[in-house]
């Protein structure tokens, strides 16, 4: 019965855990999201006369009812399928989501016009018209749904452009996209504009190739994989491809694994059905012929024509500055040599100037790879739309969240050893110039730099499409190679404290040469002599019209967020070539020097990661634990005065037991109200059948067990665990206790040394003689017989000749002569003024040895007194004078 | 016996009580009634406890194993087929230098072998006395309970520390003899750090390994006080460490895992990176000290109130 009662809580616990697990597994995992495919016909073109069929998927809000509309655009080379995962995520959160393949992509018809206001923007406006008629969409006014737009790269640009051209858009969250496509493809870090920019040859090539189809070289991803789940993911013009392949590509893109499933090369399916592609198709793919022609021109010359700049800018937010007036979350990648952070900066400034709330986040990914941070990015976008579309948590833009966030390396997770990222934020976007600046002196002479004939070999900084491969997870492992003789280098002194640069550093250079000179500037982190890393693989190309006497030029280096550690140097390298760009092909030698011997770096020290350094608990926890430990110890402390509790009247009485009571755990009494007294010179026999409570009493006497009530006094001092008076007690209770690996002698020696008393007091030799072990004394105790151990234990009890000796069944295992000898030893021991207590069940032995007897039964005292008295009283009662009979009589078992 | 006892018995009567009349009359030696020469603060000296533990076979076996392991690994690396060149994992780099080898040895043994060693020394110390019944005689000597625990804890921690220190030091010796005194190649990044620069860091590594084993020590000690079975105490501590290790692999627990006792056990790797990062080690120390303080406090409280019935 008792057992069962004890098990019941355990069974209940197990059942509860099982139920919880089953419940958790079976719990409905959120409402189902279903996408409906629609084919929407739109009319666009400069004169609104071109019919295009848009392939779209509409995801109603998962919970039913109406939700705000989110238009989710895909990246260049992708289709509506690339963003399916993110669409479902938004739909699950209660948004009505519309994804579509932009004209010229996927199964949509039409040709690519690069998010032109005449084409793509008009298409999207009509998609909003279409969605406004859906019963699942929240309307602000008839025909005016509550609309948010997001998407990465190409899909981000359409969000910006539509927000400028359609008043109905309420909030946008563009990712890794451009401000000025002309500047992106013809950057000029010296500020000379795209007409004098350096052609970003490799990216441009990939970009325009992607419009026609996917390159069939596996490993060249480019426009997307790196952007992660939200965007340009799996480039594919092959919507007729098999489902499995597509899904696999989608998955890879969600993981941000970099190069996408680009092994499949197929031109746009919906058009060239059957038959070989026409010449036009091969040349331009699905691009609008005008765009195709302009690209051909600039790619051949490497120079931007005014028409090209004009065309690219019409597709860029730069052409609609001041017209985007909605809350905007701009997420830009730090590892992005296609649309670097400066594009996000320009967009943010333009939109913020209208008074609209703007948030900027520099995350760890980008077109070059890095960490796609899919989960974090999705969270940010969701939070932005929740605030500005669902209008939860206050009015537009007010409060909630930092205006600027930078993803930084947070070291490694100590459990998994994987790299972790932290997000440092501040309340104000500092721009690329920082909230503070610092000049870091640079040194280095004017150096000649050669342009190799044909522009090859070229230096390597970031290779489009390879970024995702080489970049690893947040590390700066990107290849960066400078060709000997082609670069000039200027270094700072080793830093005496860490320098965290947030923004775009600037330098003033002096270039000696003739005519237009193209150069590439980059700021390395020199971690040790000869070891450099190029933060995020970014490089700043510029052109300058140089003269023999030297022309000064101010160069804005790429924007970065990077900490140069103590002991590192900043190393500015100016190179004549870079593999990713169109390089000059005519051999020449220029000279490059510093016009100003310093680099000006922007700082944003107010940026604070949510958890910089050890958390508060790191310090609080151990302190609290120590306090708790102290409390645990102090609360458990018994009152000290017990130790000093001495009764002077009893100082000569070896043992007084008063009202001693101890219960077992189940409440039964082991010892009940036991009182007796032992005087000096007595040999007291403690008698009782098994279970009478003898051993329990002796254990309490030794301070091993806490009595429930009553007290024990030895020479007047109350016995508590470890009470000093116990040093006058020698004991042998319930068998010997020795360290089996040590010899008998070592055991006794070490035991005595453990008491801390002087060796001379031990009388070790006498004790050893009582043990009488002879040569066995130096053997390990584990080899001893039961009797040998018994004798050794009695000898241990006698060490130091204690005033009170307690022996429990001392004659167990001894042969008759030994028993007789033991009897004599005990008698003599007591005769010298000491006291001996012997518990035994051998009544004859007690009768012969003891002067006094205490009889216990079921925890109680039944008789106490001198042996003779007890026998005498028995004789009076008419029984024969034998202790056995008296004993049986006393415990009431007499037949 | 009888002969010996007979020979002794005259001494027993003549020397004993009459030697010291004061004691024979039962007069207390001091205010606390102790026998002369007895002082609680002198009981169970550390030297005595060290001798008691040192002569045990399991102590010798454990230290023998810890000292032999590096040599076994050296032989394994020498005999095994040539490893993958250019890998940057700790195991790929083990043969690059004595220090790399020592770091490798520590990393493969920290999660289990050292845990077992520490659990053995701290888990067995009180429980084995209980199982031999020698505990009750020590307590009746009397060694005050708090003092007994304190002395045993100090000695057990000392043995544990010796175990944790001897392995990497022997590994350093073996690795240096086998693979040379070369610069350290940092796992993961491949950077090199001069060997002499790493030597003090290696001290930090060992120090942190010691601190991180405190949890195991304290847990084993608490179990040792709570049970009479040495195997139960050692096994219980090792088992709980295994459970904690399994739990920390569950990513969905998120930051809760930071408070698992074993979560920061490998944080010492940060000390071997080019830029040392102490954050993990500080957190690990914090968690370790927290658990250890509370577990040890419970051990003392429990032992104080315990009825010793073994």
């Amino acid at each position: 019965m008792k057992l069962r009662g004890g098990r019941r809580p355990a069974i209940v616990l197990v059942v509860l855990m099982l139920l919880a697990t089953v419940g958790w597994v079976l719990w409905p995992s959120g409402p189902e999201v279903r996408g409906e495919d629609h084919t929407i016909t739109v009319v666009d073109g400069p004169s609104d006369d071109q019919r295009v069929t848009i392939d779209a998927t509409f995801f109603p809000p998962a919970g039913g009812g109406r939700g705000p509309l989110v238009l989710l655009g895909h990246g260049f080379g992708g289709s509506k399928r690339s963003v399916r995962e993110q669409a479902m995520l938004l739909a699950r959160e209660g948004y009505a989501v519309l994804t579509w393949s932009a004209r010229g992509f996927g199964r949509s018809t039409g040709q690519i016009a690069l998010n032109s206001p005449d084409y793509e923007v008009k298409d999207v406006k009509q998609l909003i018209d279409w969605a406004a008629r859906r019963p699942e969409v929240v309307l602000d006014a008839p025909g005016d749904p509550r609309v948010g737009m997001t998407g990465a790269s190409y899909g981000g640009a359409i969000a910006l452009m539509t927000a400028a051209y359609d008043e109905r858009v309420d909030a946008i969250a563009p990712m890794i996209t451009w401000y000025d496509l002309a500047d992106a493809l013809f950057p000029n870090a010296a500020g000379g504009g795209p007409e004098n920019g350096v052609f970003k040859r490799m990216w441009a090539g990939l970009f325009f190739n992607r419009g026609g189809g996917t390159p069939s070289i596996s490993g060249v991803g480019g426009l997307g994989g790196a952007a992660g789940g939200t965007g340009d993911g799996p480039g594919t013009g092959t919507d007729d491809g098999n489902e499995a392949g597509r899904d696999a590509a989608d998955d890879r893109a969600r993981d941000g694994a970099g190069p996408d499933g680009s092994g499949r090369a197929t031109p746009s399916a919906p058009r060239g059905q059957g038959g070989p592609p026409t010449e036009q198709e091969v040349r331009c793919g699905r691009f609008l012929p005008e765009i195709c022609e302009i690209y051909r021109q600039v790619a051949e010359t490497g120079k931007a024509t005014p028409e090209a700049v004009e065309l690219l800018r019409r597709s860029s937010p730069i052409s609609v500055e001041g017209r985007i007036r909605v809350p905007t979350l701009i997420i830009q990648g730090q590892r992005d040599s296609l649309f670097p952070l400066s594009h996000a900066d320009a967009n943010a400034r333009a939109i913020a100037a209208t008074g609209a709330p703007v948030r900027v986040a520099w995350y760890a990914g980008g077109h070059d790879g890095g960490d796609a941070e899919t989960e974090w990015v999705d969270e940010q976008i969701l939070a932005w739309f929740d605030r500005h579309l669902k209008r939860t948590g206050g009015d537009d833009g007010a409060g909630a969240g930092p205006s600027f966030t930078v993803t930084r390396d947070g070291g490694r997770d100590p459990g998994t050893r994987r790299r972790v990222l932290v997000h440092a934020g501040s309340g104000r976007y500092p721009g690329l110039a920082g909230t503070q600046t610092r000049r870091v002196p640079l040194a280095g002479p004017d150096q000649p730099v050669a342009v190799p004939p044909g522009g090859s070999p070229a230096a390597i900084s970031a290779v489009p499409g390879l970024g995702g491969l080489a970049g690893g997870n947040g590390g700066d492992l990107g290849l960066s190679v400078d060709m000997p003789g082609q670069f000039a280098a200027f270094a700072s002194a080793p830093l005496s404290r860490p320098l965290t640069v947030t923004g775009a550093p600037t330098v003033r250079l002096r270039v000696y040469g003739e005519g237009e000179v193209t150069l590439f500037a980059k700021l390395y982190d020199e971690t040790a002599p000869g070891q450099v890393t190029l933060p995020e693989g970014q490089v700043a190309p510029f052109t300058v019209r140089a003269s023999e006497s030297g022309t000064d030029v101010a160069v804005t280096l790429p924007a970065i967020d990077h900490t140069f550690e103590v002991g590192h140097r900043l190393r500015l390298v100016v190179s004549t070539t870079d593999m990713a760009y169109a390089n000059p092909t005519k051999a020449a030698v220029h000279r490059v020097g510093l016009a100003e011997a310093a680099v000006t770096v922007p700082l944003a020290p107010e940026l604070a990661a949510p958890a910089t350094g050890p958390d508060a608990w790191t310090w609080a926890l151990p302190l609290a634990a120590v306090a708790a430990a102290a409390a645990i110890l102090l609360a458990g402390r018994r009152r000290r005065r017990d130790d000093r509790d001495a009764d002077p009247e009893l100082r000569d009485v070896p043992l007084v037991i008063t009202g001693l009571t101890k219960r077992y755990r189940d409440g039964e009494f082991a010892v009940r109200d036991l009182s007796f007294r032992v005087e000096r010179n007595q040999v007291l026999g403690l008698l009782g059948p098994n279970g009478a409570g003898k051993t329990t009493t002796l254990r309490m006497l030794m301070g091993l067990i806490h009595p429930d009530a009553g007290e024990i006094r030895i020479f007047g001092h109350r016995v508590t665990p470890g009470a000093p008076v116990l040093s006058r007690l020698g004991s042998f209770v319930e068998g010997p206790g020795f360290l089996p690996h040590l010899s008998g002698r070592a055991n006794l020696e070490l035991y005595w040394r453990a008491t801390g008393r002087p060796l001379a007091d031990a009388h070790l030799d006498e004790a050893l003689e009582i043990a009488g072990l002879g040569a066995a004394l130096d053997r390990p105790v584990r080899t001893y017989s039961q009797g040998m151990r018994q004798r050794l234990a009695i000898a241990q009890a006698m060490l130091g000749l204690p005033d009170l000796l307690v022996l429990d069944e001392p004659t167990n295992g001894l042969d008759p002569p030994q028993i007789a000898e033991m009897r004599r030893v005990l008698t003599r021991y007591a005769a010298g003024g000491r006291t001996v207590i012997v518990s035994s069940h051998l009544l004859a032995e007690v009768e012969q040895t003891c002067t006094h007897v205490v009889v216990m039964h079921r925890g109680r005292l039944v008789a106490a007194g001198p042996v003779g008295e007890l026998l005498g009283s028995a004789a009076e009662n008419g029984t024969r004078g034998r202790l056995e009979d008296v004993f049986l009589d006393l415990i009431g078992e007499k037949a | 016996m009888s002969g010996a006892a007979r020979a002794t018995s005259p001494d027993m009567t003549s020397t004993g009580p009459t030697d010291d009349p004061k004691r024979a009359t039962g007069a207390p030696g001091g205010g606390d009634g102790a026998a002369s020469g007895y002082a609680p603060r002198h009981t169970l000296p550390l030297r005595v406890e060290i001798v008691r533990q040192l002569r045990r076979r399991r102590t010798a076996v454990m230290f023998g194993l810890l000292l032999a392991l590096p040599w076994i690994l050296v032989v394994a690396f020498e005999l095994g087929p040539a490893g993958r060149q250019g890998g940057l994992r700790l195991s790929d780099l083990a043969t690059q230098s004595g220090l790399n080898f020592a770091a490798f040895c520590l990393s493969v043994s920290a999660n289990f072998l050292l845990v077992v060693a520490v659990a053995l020394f701290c888990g067995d110390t009180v429980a084995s006395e209980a199982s031999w019944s020698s505990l009750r005689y020590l307590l009746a000597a009397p060694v005050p309970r708090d003092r007994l625990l304190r002395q045993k804890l100090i000695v057990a921690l000392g043995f544990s520390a010796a175990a944790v220190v001897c392995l990497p030091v022997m590994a350093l010796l073996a690795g240096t003899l086998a693979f040379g005194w070369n610069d350290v190649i940092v796992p993961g990044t491949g950077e090199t750090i001069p060997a002499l620069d790493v030597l003090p860091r290696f001290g930090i590594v060992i120090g942190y390994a010691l601190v991180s084993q405190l949890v195991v020590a304290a847990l084993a000690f608490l179990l040792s006080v709570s049970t009479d079975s040495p195997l139960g105490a050692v096994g219980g501590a090792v088992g709980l460490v295994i459970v904690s290790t399994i739990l920390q692999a569950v990513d969905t627990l998120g930051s809760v895992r930071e408070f698992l006792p074993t979560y920061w056990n490998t944080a010492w790797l940060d000390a071997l990176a080019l830029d040392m990062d102490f954050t993990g080690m500080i957190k690990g120390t914090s968690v370790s000290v927290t658990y250890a303080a509370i577990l040890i406090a419970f051990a003392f409280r429990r032992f104080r109130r315990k009825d010793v019935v073994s």
Side-chain angles (χ1 to χ4, degrees), chain A residues 482 486-490 509 520-524 532 539 557 571-575:
Chain A
D482 290 308
Q486 298 182 18
F487 67 90
F490 311 92
L509 298 172
F520 302 88
K522 36 195 163 181
L523 188 65
Y524 282 105
V532 291
V539 57
L557 295 164
R571 182 178 162 91
L572 175 71
V573 167
V574 182
S575 165

Side-chain angles (χ1 to χ4, degrees), chain A residues 351-720:
Chain A
I351 298 166
T354 67
V358 174
R359 220 198 114 185
V360 179
W362 295 355
Y363 83 122
H367 283 96
D368 291 340
D371 188 325
E373 291 195 73
T374 312
E375 217 169 285
W376 184 79
V377 163
D378 286 348
E379 250 171 52
Q380 303 308 306
I381 293 173
L382 197 63
W384 191 254
F385 286 155
D386 282 351
R387 189 148 92 244
H388 296 289
L389 297 180
K390 287 187 179 168
R391 315 246 160 102
T392 53
D395 276 346
D396 293 23
S403 300
F404 179 52
T405 313
V406 180
T407 301
R408 286 177 173 167
D409 181 15
R412 282 181 187 281
D413 179 302
T416 58
R417 308 304 305 166
R418 283 200 290 259
R419 287 221 161 264
V420 290
L421 301 171
V422 294
H423 300 97
S426 73
R428 200 170 71 78
Y429 172 57
L432 298 185
T435 48
Q436 297 172 19
T437 57
R438 188 182 304 164
R439 280 167 48 90
V440 180
L442 294 178
D446 293 356
Q447 293 155 57
V449 293
V451 179
S456 179
I460 301 169
S461 51
V463 181
L466 285 183
L469 281 182
N473 196 3
D476 288 325
L477 283 177
L479 310 156
S480 45
V481 180
D482 290 308
M483 295 299 160
Q486 298 182 18
F487 67 90
F490 311 92
S492 73
L495 294 173
S496 56
R497 54 200 171 112
L499 178 69
T500 301
V501 176
T502 305
T506 53
V507 286
R508 287 186 65 79
L509 298 172
R510 184 164 296 155
V511 182
Y512 307 86
E514 229 179 301
E516 195 183 78
V517 172
T518 300
L519 292 168
F520 302 88
K522 36 195 163 181
L523 188 65
Y524 282 105
D525 181 351
E526 187 174 323
T527 54
Q531 287 187 345
V532 291
T533 58
L534 183 58
E536 316 296 357
Q538 301 294 302
V539 57
F542 64 97
T543 58
V544 55
R545 190 154 295 279
S547 62
E548 283 300 337
S549 56
T551 308
D552 285 2
V553 56
V555 176
T556 304
L557 295 164
I560 49 171
D561 178 69
H562 182 83
T563 299
F564 296 84
E565 300 290 352
V566 172
H568 293 194
R569 295 167 191 265
L570 277 64
R571 182 178 162 91
L572 175 71
V573 167
V574 182
S575 165
T576 55
T577 54
D578 193 281
M579 204 166 135
Y581 292 83
N583 292 310
T585 50
K586 194 168 175 301
V589 175
H590 318 297
R591 271 191 310 138
V592 178
L594 294 169
E596 191 182 336
V599 56
T600 305
V601 295
L603 313 173
E606 72 280 5
L607 275 175
T612 44
D615 298 325
W617 64 256
T618 314
W619 310 112
L621 211 55
L623 291 178
V626 169
I632 289 167
L633 288 179
L634 289 177
R637 188 167 281 265
R638 284 172 186 270
R639 273 173 236 111
R640 264 211 87 77
R641 62 177 175 82
D642 285 1
D643 277 5
R644 300 270 156 191
D645 185 356
D647 186 345
E649 300 201 350
L650 295 175
R651 53 185 291 194
D652 276 340
V653 184
L655 179 65
V656 178
I657 292 179
T658 324
L660 194 67
T661 301
K662 177 74 183 178
R663 285 165 182 256
Y664 291 118
R665 213 170 270 174
D666 59 11
E668 236 172 89
F669 285 96
V671 176
R672 188 166 194 178
D673 199 19
L674 181 71
S675 303
F676 65 89
R677 182 179 171 117
V678 186
E679 301 291 345
R680 286 200 292 128
N681 294 331
Q682 287 184 355
V683 178
L684 180 87
L686 191 57
L687 287 179
N690 285 341
K694 291 174 298 185
T695 305
T696 307
T697 306
L698 295 184
R699 284 179 174 282
M700 286 190 274
L701 183 60
M702 291 164 75
L704 298 176
I705 298 183
H706 303 275
D708 292 332
E711 59 172 28
I712 302 172
R713 286 182 186 272
I714 297 178
F715 298 112
H717 291 272
R718 184 167 172 170
V719 173
T720 55

